[in-house]
Amino acid sequence: MSDSPTLDRRPEWAALEDHRAQGQPQLRELFAADPGRAERYVVRVGDLRIDYSKHLINDETLALLQELATATDVFGLRDAMFRGEHINATEDRAVLHTALRAARDAVIEVDGENVVPAVHAVLDRMSAFANRVRSGEWTGHTGRRIKNVVNIGIGGSDLGPAMAYEALRAFTARELTVRFVSNVDGADLHEATRDLDPAETLFIVASKTFTTIETITNATSARSWLLEGLGGDDKAVAKHFVALSTNAGKVTEFGIDTDNMFGFWDWVGGRYSFDSAIGLSLMIAVGPDRFLEMLDGFRIVDDHFRTASAESNAPLLLGLLGVWYGNFHDAQSHAVLPYSHYLSKFTAYLQQLDMESNGKSVQRDGRPVEWQTGPVVWGTPGTNGQHAYYQLIHQGTKLIPADFIGFARPVAELSDELRAQHDLLMANFFAQTQALAFGKTPDEVRAEGVPEELVPHKTFKGNHPTTTILARELTPSVLGQLIALYEHKVFVQGAVWNINSFDQWGVELGKVLAKRVEPALTEGADVPGLDPSTTALVAAYRELKEV
Ligand code: F6P
């Protein structure tokens, strides 16, 4: 056990509590007193312009938050991560997703071994394979060209590539059909394959452990579908199945030749694995060059996080702002609202990244935490959300800090008429953060001639904090930059909260119990030790199944 005081006993924590107790700063007043904050509270990294001026902070708040970061040695842990130390102590592993995007000549050692050559060897094999599929050189068992790619994986082996495929659709080979199957609900695989020709379909089985029940079950069903469609010749599997995994033994056991396996390593966490071999489906879709551009984008932000001063360090600032709201304003959630249809799955991806990493309630040494940790992350693309749940953000009772992500240009392939819609999209983007920050006072409402009894209803209190992230356009590099920005923000928060952001024991219990309950559903077996509620539910399910 460490001798340092727990987080909430630190003088820096108390200073922030005192600062908060001095009252809530009003954004209207903060901007009136200091219009320069609009330019000063901006940090640039790569192609991202990150404006944090609409936050409930002043220079003192920022200084106090920085002192907390220093006291909790966020940069010390960062350096240990980049050095390849086993900072994931509960699994005794290094945390080195940053090595996945390291330059070819970089040296990053894990337990004395430089891992960069192995990273690039896999990237090279992936590139060669992706090119063969894209060019038609890699054919299916009957000699037909591959036209469909189906990624089977779940969690970190699905959300990243599925999100990025949507994000970079404009860069994809449009003649390829790329789909993602994750749910063990048979409907998922059914819908993904029902209109496909097995002779033209490649399955990518993505699973770090290759033991995840959903993925192995779906992959087994996919194999049956394929063999049924191709006359039952087992040899077909070699041309239609590849595996992405760290577990060569299990891949072989499943029946996939390790020649058709693309590996990665235990120092890559599942939710941090998208830029490893797990990204193969995306690489096939966009081509190796675009994939490598995306990795360059990740690296820009890695280098920034590693080297930028505390005051201009974007992931540090975003992480600390989250601490400010979660721990000193009792904010329970954090909205991520991209104003890009192509980022429709971005927030879902961040949910795993953030909530699986920082949904923890014990400290690194096992003591319980006495402070709030990771927020509920949620959100969907604008403008759709504006017509659904923004009402609650504007006029509800909860404080919901939000990130707005937008682009100056739409993707190139839109028609002139559709491109022209982009300004309307972005007008909404700017209007929302303005309305959230500055609201509308009762006097302003009255000045519009609104009857007195409606004034309270039409008043917007404002003072809702937002971050605005703006880039020129959504390119592969910008996508990489955005993902790395959030990866490191999550890291910063885990470091401050003194939790291990890199294990995920909390998902284990449900998995174990599902295995225990399953025989009761499939075979009607009696399952000893089931609680009364679950026993009754299982009985009701069995009854409904029979009628
Ligand atoms: O159940 C959680 C989890 O372990 C995630 O962390 C992971 O991304 C997902 O399952 C899938 O795991 P795998 O890639 O080993 O199939």
Side-chain angles (χ1 to χ4, degrees):
M1 295 229 169
S2 94
D3 296 335
S4 56
T6 59
L7 180 62
D8 55 349
R9 302 266 165 87
R10 289 183 182 277
E12 297 80 6
W13 188 269
L16 279 159
E17 282 179 330
D18 288 347
H19 180 62
R20 174 73 183 90
Q22 284 161 23
Q24 187 68 281
Q26 297 296 308
L27 286 168
R28 278 184 180 241
E29 290 161 18
L30 290 172
F31 274 94
D34 175 19
R37 64 186 273 134
E39 290 298 332
R40 212 172 64 252
Y41 288 171
V42 173
V43 56
R44 287 182 175 77
V45 45
D47 298 299
L48 310 178
R49 182 187 191 277
I50 304 169
D51 178 325
Y52 58 101
S53 64
K54 293 194 186 78
H55 277 286
L56 308 177
I57 54 166
N58 56 24
D59 290 352
E60 190 186 349
T61 325
L62 286 171
L64 293 172
L65 286 167
Q66 292 287 3
E67 281 168 25
L68 185 68
T70 306
T72 50
D73 197 20
V74 173
F75 280 176
L77 192 67
R78 172 200 65 183
D79 294 342
M81 173 176 76
F82 277 99
R83 272 198 306 271
E85 289 180 22
H86 286 214
I87 64 166
N88 175 1
T90 57
E91 296 180 313
D92 192 17
R93 287 176 183 168
V95 173
L96 264 184
H97 41 279
T98 50
L100 298 171
R101 50 262 193 167
R104 207 174 270 275
D105 59 357
V107 176
I108 301 173
E109 293 192 347
V110 178
D111 304 328
E113 189 197 336
N114 180 15
V115 296
V116 179
V119 166
H120 280 272
V122 173
L123 279 172
D124 291 344
R125 281 188 63 227
M126 287 167 66
S127 300
F129 180 73
N131 281 333
R132 289 182 75 192
V133 173
R134 285 165 65 85
S135 68
E137 187 197 327
W138 178 281
T139 55
H141 181 59
T142 63
R144 301 251 292 275
R145 188 179 180 136
I146 295 297
K147 292 189 182 156
N148 318 305
V149 175
V150 180
N151 186 82
I152 300 178
I154 197 163
S157 299
D158 165 71
L159 289 162
M163 173 275 292
Y165 175 68
E166 284 305 319
L168 300 179
R169 241 176 208 268
F171 300 87
T172 59
R174 297 292 194 170
E175 66 278 11
L176 279 175
T177 297
V178 182
R179 293 184 180 157
F180 296 85
V181 172
S182 53
N183 201 326
V184 75
D185 182 342
D188 199 358
L189 184 63
H190 169 70
E191 290 298 333
T193 52
R194 54 177 288 284
D195 57 347
L196 302 186
D197 182 341
E200 300 173 343
T201 302
L202 174 73
F203 288 98
I204 298 181
V205 186
S207 176
K208 178 177 170 181
T209 55
F210 232 75
T211 57
T212 304
I213 189 91
E214 290 93 330
T215 299
I216 301 308
T217 305
N218 274 326
T220 305
S221 299
R223 188 172 51 188
S224 306
W225 175 86
L226 180 97
L227 293 180
E228 222 166 85
L230 295 182
D233 184 353
D234 262 349
K235 283 206 223 71
V237 171
K239 301 296 282 181
H240 292 269
F241 274 78
V242 298
L244 319 175
S245 188
T246 58
N247 192 340
K250 288 283 176 195
V251 168
T252 310
E253 210 175 282
F254 180 84
I256 298 177
D257 196 317
T258 44
D259 283 351
N260 293 343
M261 168 179 159
F262 299 86
F264 56 111
W265 307 270
D266 73 357
W267 39 264
V268 182
R271 54 193 171 276
Y272 298 88
S273 66
F274 152 61
D275 47 344
S276 70
I278 292 294
L280 182 65
S281 52
L282 177 74
M283 191 194 262
I284 293 172
V286 299
D289 290 349
R290 296 294 194 190
F291 191 87
L292 296 178
E293 276 170 42
M294 185 185 73
L295 296 190
D296 290 345
F298 275 93
R299 191 162 67 239
I300 289 169
V301 177
D302 292 345
D303 290 346
H304 165 89
F305 181 48
R306 206 165 38 81
T307 59
S309 69
E311 294 69 31
S312 61
N313 196 302
L316 182 74
L317 284 164
L318 295 187
L320 291 175
L321 287 168
V323 168
W324 179 229
Y325 297 115
N327 298 107
F328 300 94
H329 292 73
D330 204 24
Q332 300 291 315
S333 79
H334 183 91
V336 180
L337 310 168
Y339 275 61
S340 165
H341 185 69
Y342 289 110
L343 288 182
S344 60
K345 294 189 173 164
F346 189 64
T347 310
Y349 170 76
L350 292 187
Q351 281 180 328
Q352 188 199 13
L353 175 66
D354 200 323
M355 294 165 78
E356 198 167 82
S357 295
N358 285 344
K360 308 284 162 65
S361 50
V362 292
Q363 300 181 62
R364 286 198 282 263
D365 62 9
R367 285 175 297 169
V369 296
E370 306 288 345
W371 44 88
Q372 289 291 313
T373 59
V376 176
V377 176
W378 61 282
T380 50
T383 58
N384 295 7
Q386 290 174 207
H387 299 273
Y389 51 77
Y390 276 36
Q391 166 65 34
L392 185 145
I393 311 182
H394 281 288
Q395 288 189 313
T397 53
K398 295 177 173 54
L399 175 73
I400 302 174
D403 295 349
F404 281 69
I405 304 170
F407 303 94
R409 293 186 183 176
V411 305
E413 70 179 29
L414 298 195
S415 68
D416 287 348
E417 190 174 357
L418 294 178
R419 289 177 71 78
Q421 291 181 203
H422 195 72
D423 286 340
L424 178 58
L425 171 73
M426 292 306 284
N428 277 276
F429 175 81
F430 294 118
Q432 286 299 325
T433 57
Q434 186 188 7
L436 285 166
F438 305 115
K440 200 184 212 182
T441 64
D443 285 346
E444 286 168 343
V445 176
R446 282 189 198 101
E448 290 175 352
V450 171
E452 196 54 34
E453 68 273 17
L454 286 184
V455 168
H457 298 278
K458 294 200 161 192
T459 297
F460 285 65
K461 179 165 67 58
N463 227 30
H464 299 289
T466 58
T467 300
T468 300
I469 302 176
L470 194 60
R472 194 168 72 167
E473 62 190 304
L474 180 55
T475 60
S477 172
V478 166
L479 181 68
Q481 293 170 37
L482 282 169
I483 299 172
L485 177 71
Y486 280 96
E487 283 180 350
H488 297 317
K489 172 201 161 178
V490 166
F491 176 91
V492 165
Q493 296 187 331
V496 171
W497 291 323
N498 195 33
I499 56 180
N500 179 3
S501 301
F502 300 102
D503 61 13
Q504 58 285 315
W505 302 108
V507 295
E508 292 305 318
L509 179 61
K511 289 186 193 174
V512 172
L513 293 183
K515 275 201 188 130
R516 202 185 295 164
V517 173
E518 198 191 352
L521 310 186
T522 51
E523 303 153 21
D526 278 338
V527 179
L530 271 193
D531 67 89
S533 168
T534 311
T535 305
L537 285 167
V538 166
Y541 170 82
R542 285 211 303 237
E543 214 177 290
L544 285 168
K545 212 174 145 176
E546 299 310 324
V547 283

